């Protein structure tokens, strides 16, 4: 039951984008050390700029 | 011997499983057929909403299991071993392999806007049956197919957008048409949604203060997410949701305070100017401050409310009061003029087939899916879920007494501004309702009046409040009503913010081709000028909609429907062209048939909107009628200037409709020419 709640929480975090920075840190550790690591704030801003540069919401 | 027995058991198990599956699907089909025929053939006084839900669930299950699977296997030939753009071009910025459920959630949140709530509510003037049938059949054979094929073709082209695919597959004409179509659709959509919000707020201090409070709440959440607890979306959304509930409650206090309520009691025109100013500010301000936090909140509220509504409908099992068909199928409806064919197919776009979806299906989604085998689930499945939302909106609108529904949705220009006169007219149509009933309803909902609250949002909110009230406690009807208004307004305003910003980018891009400096999206003069142009475009239609005594929705919603269906026709043309060019002519009907249907309904509707002699349908006839009224002195002197504006607008609308029609036919003819040429 506890595992079920944990995985549900993990799913909701992923769906809402709550864990995006954690994912970025993991990804940065694994494959792109040549790029400068963005701070949380820089990453958040970059994510928003990317997200809202095109048609993201429909009628 | 033992091995033989084991084999026998296994074989028996497989056979039972196989037959059990078949039996389950046969039962689903039978139950669906029973529910569908009950909904379609019932002519009793009322029918239970559970039949609607059962029919929809069974139809969607069968369509998903058989039709979507067949399209995936035979028509598109989906290959689960083929690397998707997310895997092949992975950069963890645009191309990110993502869990299928996360992609499904993001895709659904992106496609499901206010359209499936408003369209079915307006179309309920024909009775529940035309809307119900079109939502189910349109989604299964048209909308979901369009979304799924657009997603597949974009994925097979490294995540190209609809505009790029139109240019590649049909040519420059197709690309330009999709660009103009997208811009027009954006302008008309924002105007009509703005009008819906204005009509929900006019002379309602409670609704206005609640909707106004969403702005500082969004700004606070924006600051919280950027500077206090950076990127903690979940907790910020929860805090924001709590504040929104508080705003609904505080709105009630403001409404009861004689001192405070006057600051929020405004007419339509003042509110329209406020929305126009807000739209400009939202387009110019940084994304993190207003748009992004508002989107987090609206997504949270949207998903939560839709789930609660579904649960409430299942618990409550309300009776549908609206008849299957009303006399307004002949075109004399008070909400909008025009007969059931073609206008039900234009009025309900989102929820059945919406061209706008193809922009999302060829936007972010194809860059996230990590396996082609999930295309039916995301492309087809998310559209079915949106259709289900449309069915729930239809239920919420039709559980109201028809007399109440028409009293709320009929504009003063049709039934008159006087309550008694309006009631007499609605009674003469054969729908029972009294002035006392409407007064009691308004009092219960915390409003001074619910007459002529056009646009669909107030009647949907009354329907939702009734359902929520009966399921979770009827002593809070006014709170539920204003919660429902806030729920609708919050994501209408998100669409307004996001749409204005996209319009700004499109304009900057277009003008940037002539004057490159203007194309720099962060150059402030370009931001201000392009935002002002976009806001002026939709602001003009919003202004005209507000001053129109027929309510504005009568003109704007069909125009939006025609524009949206035109974009769907472009998306389906691309799909048909690709199928023909890749030697799959025998399957071209999969996209070709919905395309043909859209051509028929859009052309008929556009033709009628331009040339019909009925002044409530035809733009030119309406302009001529107003001119005649001025000439013979039927218009009061102080209204002549406004009438001239309305005449100009009718002519402009006729021109825009004609433009959409020409674009549609050019794209389809060009698609056929290019497909035929390439094939040879």
């Amino acid at each position: 039951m506890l595992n079920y709640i944990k995985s549900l929480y993990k799913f909701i975090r992923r769906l809402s984008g709550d864990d995006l920075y954690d994912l970025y840190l993991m990804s940065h550790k694994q494959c792109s050390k040549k790029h400068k690591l963005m701070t949380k704030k820089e990453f958040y801003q970059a994510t928003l700029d990317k997200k809202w540069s095109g048609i993201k919401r429909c009628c | 011997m033992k091995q033989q027995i084991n084999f026998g058991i296994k074989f028996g198990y497989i056979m039972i499983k196989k037959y059990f599956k078949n039996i389950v699907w046969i039962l689903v089909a039978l139950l669906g057929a029973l529910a569908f025929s009950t909904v379609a053939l019932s002519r009793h006084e009322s029918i239970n909403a559970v039949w609607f839900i059962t029919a929809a669930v069974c139809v969607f299950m069968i369509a998903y299991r058989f039709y979507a699977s067949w399209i995936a296997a035979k028509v598109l030939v989906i290959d689960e071993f083929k690397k998707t753009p997310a895997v092949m071009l992975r950069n963890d910025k645009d191309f990110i392999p993502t869990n299928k459920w996360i992609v499904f959630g993001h895709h659904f949140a992106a496609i499901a806007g206010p359209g499936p709530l408003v369209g079915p509510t307006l179309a309920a003037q024909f009775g529940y049956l035309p809307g119900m049938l079109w939502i189910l059949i349109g989604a299964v054979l048209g909308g979901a197919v369009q979304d799924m094929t657009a997603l597949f073709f974009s994925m097979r082209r490294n995540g190209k957008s609809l505009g790029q695919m139109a240019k590649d597959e049909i040519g420059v004409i197709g690309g330009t048409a999709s660009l103009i179509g997208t811009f027009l659709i954006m302008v008309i959509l924002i105007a009509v949604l703005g009008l819906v919000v204005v009509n929900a707020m006019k002379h309602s201090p409670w609704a206005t203060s609640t909707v106004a409070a969403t702005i500082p709440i969004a700004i606070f959440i924006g600051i919280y997410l950027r500077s206090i607890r950076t990127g903690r979306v979940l907790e910020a959304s929860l805090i924001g949701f709590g504040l929104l509930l508080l705003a609904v409650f505080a709105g009630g206090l403001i409404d009861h305070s004689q001192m405070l309520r006057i600051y929020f009691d405004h007419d339509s025109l003042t509110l329209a100017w406020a929305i126009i100013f807000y739209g400009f500010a939202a387009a110019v301000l940084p994304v993190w401050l207003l748009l992004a936090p508002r989107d987090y909140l609206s997504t949270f509220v949207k998903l939560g409310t839709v789930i609660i509504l579904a649960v409430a409908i299942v618990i409550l099992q309300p009776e549908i009061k609206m008849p299957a068909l009303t006399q307004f199928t002949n075109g004399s409806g008070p909400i909008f003029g025009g007969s059931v064919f073609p206008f039900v197919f234009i009025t309900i776009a989102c929820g059945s087939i919406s061209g706008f979806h193809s922009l999302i299906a060829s936007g972010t989604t194809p860059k996230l899916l990590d396996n082609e085998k999930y295309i039916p689930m995301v492309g087809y499945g998310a559209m079915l879920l949106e259709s289900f939302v449309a069915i729930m909106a239809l239920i919420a609108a039709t559980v109201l007494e028809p007399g109440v529904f028409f009293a709320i949705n009929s504009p003063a220009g049709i039934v008159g501004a006087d309550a008694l006169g309006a009631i007499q007219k609605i009674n003469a149509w054969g729908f029972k309702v009294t002035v006392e009933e409407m007064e009691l309803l308004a009092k219960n909902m915390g409003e001074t009046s619910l007459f002529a609250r056009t646009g669909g949002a107030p009647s949907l909110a009354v329907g939702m409040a009734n359902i929520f009230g009966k399921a979770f406690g009827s002593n809070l009807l006014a709170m539920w009503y204003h919660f429902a208004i806030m729920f609708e307004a919050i994501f209408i305003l998100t669409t307004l913010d996001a749409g204005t910003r996209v319009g700004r980018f499109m304009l900057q891009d277009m003008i940037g081709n002539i004057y490159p400096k203007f194309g720099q999206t962060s150059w402030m003069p370009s931001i201000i000028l392009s935002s002002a142009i976009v806001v002026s475009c939709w602001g003009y239609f919003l202004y005209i909609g507000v001053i129109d005594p027929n309510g504005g929705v009568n003109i704007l919603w069909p125009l939006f429907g025609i524009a949206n269906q035109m974009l769907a026709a472009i998306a389906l043309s691309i799909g048909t062209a690709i199928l023909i060019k890749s030697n799959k002519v025998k399957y071209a009907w999969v996209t070709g048939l919905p395309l043909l249907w859209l051509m028929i309904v859009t052309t008929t509707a556009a033709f009628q909107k331009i040339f019909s002699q009925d002044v409530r349908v035809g733009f030119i006839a309406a302009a001529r009628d107003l001119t005649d009224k001025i000439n013979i002195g039927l218009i009061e002197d102080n209204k002549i200037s406004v009438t001239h504006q309305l005449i100009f607008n009718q002519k402009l609308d006729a021109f825009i409709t004609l433009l959409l029609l020409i674009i549609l036919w050019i794209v389809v003819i060009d698609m056929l020419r290019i497909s035929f040429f390439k094939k040879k």
Side-chain angles (χ1 to χ4, degrees), chain A residues 9-20 24 27 30-31 35 38 40-42 44-45 47-59, chain B residues 92-94 101-102 105-106 110-111 113-115 182 189 225-226 230 232-234 287-288 291-292 295 350 354 356-357 359-360 364 495 502 505 564:
Chain A
Y9 176 65
K10 200 176 159 191
F11 174 75
I12 293 172
R13 279 199 77 200
R14 183 69 54 88
L15 191 63
S16 63
D18 199 60
D19 62 351
L20 273 181
Y24 165 72
S27 157
Q30 279 169 5
C31 51
H35 296 294
M38 281 189 271
K40 222 174 185 181
K41 207 168 181 174
E42 287 167 342
Y44 180 65
Q45 186 62 50
T47 310
L48 292 188
D49 288 344
K50 185 179 64 115
K51 184 177 175 184
W52 294 105
S53 60
I55 296 171
K56 300 293 150 117
R57 286 294 174 265
C58 194
C59 49
Chain B
D92 288 337
K93 283 181 183 167
D94 300 309
W101 288 107
I102 305 293
H106 283 179
I111 63 169
T182 310
L189 170 75
L225 273 170
R226 188 169 190 260
T230 307
R232 301 310 294 260
V233 175
L234 205 52
V287 173
W288 66 265
L291 176 55
D295 181 64
C350 314
S354 162
F356 220 134
H357 288 195
L359 302 174
I360 306 285
T364 313
T495 308
V502 169
F505 286 145
N564 204 355

Side-chain angles (χ1 to χ4, degrees), chain B residues 187-245:
Chain B
V187 166
I188 300 164
L189 170 75
I190 298 171
V192 75
L193 292 181
L195 188 59
V196 169
V197 178
V198 165
N199 286 343
M201 295 195 298
K202 69 175 175 189
H203 293 302
S204 170
W206 193 336
T208 307
S209 58
T210 306
V211 175
T214 63
I215 300 168
I217 291 172
I219 290 175
F220 167 71
I221 297 301
I223 295 168
Y224 184 92
L225 273 170
R226 188 169 190 260
S227 305
I228 301 172
R229 295 265 291 164
T230 307
R232 301 310 294 260
V233 175
L234 205 52
E235 65 184 47
S237 300
L238 279 169
I239 294 168
F241 183 64
L243 291 173
L244 288 175
L245 291 182

Side-chain angles (χ1 to χ4, degrees), chain B residues 249-392:
Chain B
F249 178 73
L253 298 179
I254 288 172
D255 189 43
H256 286 100
S257 158
Q258 289 304 320
M259 195 181 74
L260 292 174
R261 75 191 309 277
I262 50 166
Y263 295 107
F264 297 97
D265 187 355
H266 299 294
D267 60 8
S268 308
L269 201 55
T270 312
L271 291 167
W273 281 113
I275 296 262
I276 289 167
F277 177 76
Y278 166 79
F280 177 75
V284 173
L285 286 173
V287 173
W288 66 265
L289 188 62
L290 190 56
L291 176 55
R294 181 184 275 290
D295 181 64
Y296 287 129
L297 290 177
S298 75
T299 307
F300 198 81
V301 174
K302 179 166 65 183
L303 294 178
T305 309
V306 164
I307 291 166
I308 296 170
L309 184 62
V311 171
I313 288 173
V314 171
I315 294 174
L316 193 65
Q317 304 180 4
E319 292 287 317
I320 304 291
K321 308 276 176 52
M322 183 70 78
L325 294 165
T326 67
Q327 68 267 40
F328 302 131
T329 49
N330 67 4
S332 60
I335 301 175
F336 57 90
S339 52
V340 67
F341 176 84
F343 286 99
V344 75
F345 307 102
I346 295 299
T347 308
I348 304 179
C350 314
S352 291
I353 177 162
S354 162
F356 220 134
H357 288 195
S358 58
L359 302 174
I360 306 285
S362 61
T364 313
T365 311
K367 295 170 187 161
L368 298 178
L369 268 185
D370 60 4
N371 195 312
E372 282 193 357
K373 69 180 175 183
Y374 304 132
I375 287 175
M377 176 192 157
V378 175
Y380 202 93
M383 176 62 210
L384 294 185
L385 193 57
E386 179 177 90
S387 270
F388 194 69
V389 174
I391 293 285
M392 285 196 294

Side-chain angles (χ1 to χ4, degrees), chain B residues 544-597:
Chain B
I544 291 289
V546 164
I547 62 167
D548 187 344
N550 288 330
V553 171
N554 180 44
I555 289 179
L556 281 176
W557 195 263
L559 208 55
F560 160 63
I562 290 170
N564 204 355
Q565 304 299 42
M566 183 211 67
L567 200 58
I570 292 175
L572 288 166
S573 291
I574 294 168
T576 311
I578 294 173
L579 287 176
I580 294 173
K581 283 197 281 185
S582 52
N583 290 322
K584 288 181 183 170
V585 183
K586 66 176 178 175
Y587 295 127
W589 62 267
V590 170
T591 49
L593 271 185
L595 171 62
L596 182 66
W597 181 246

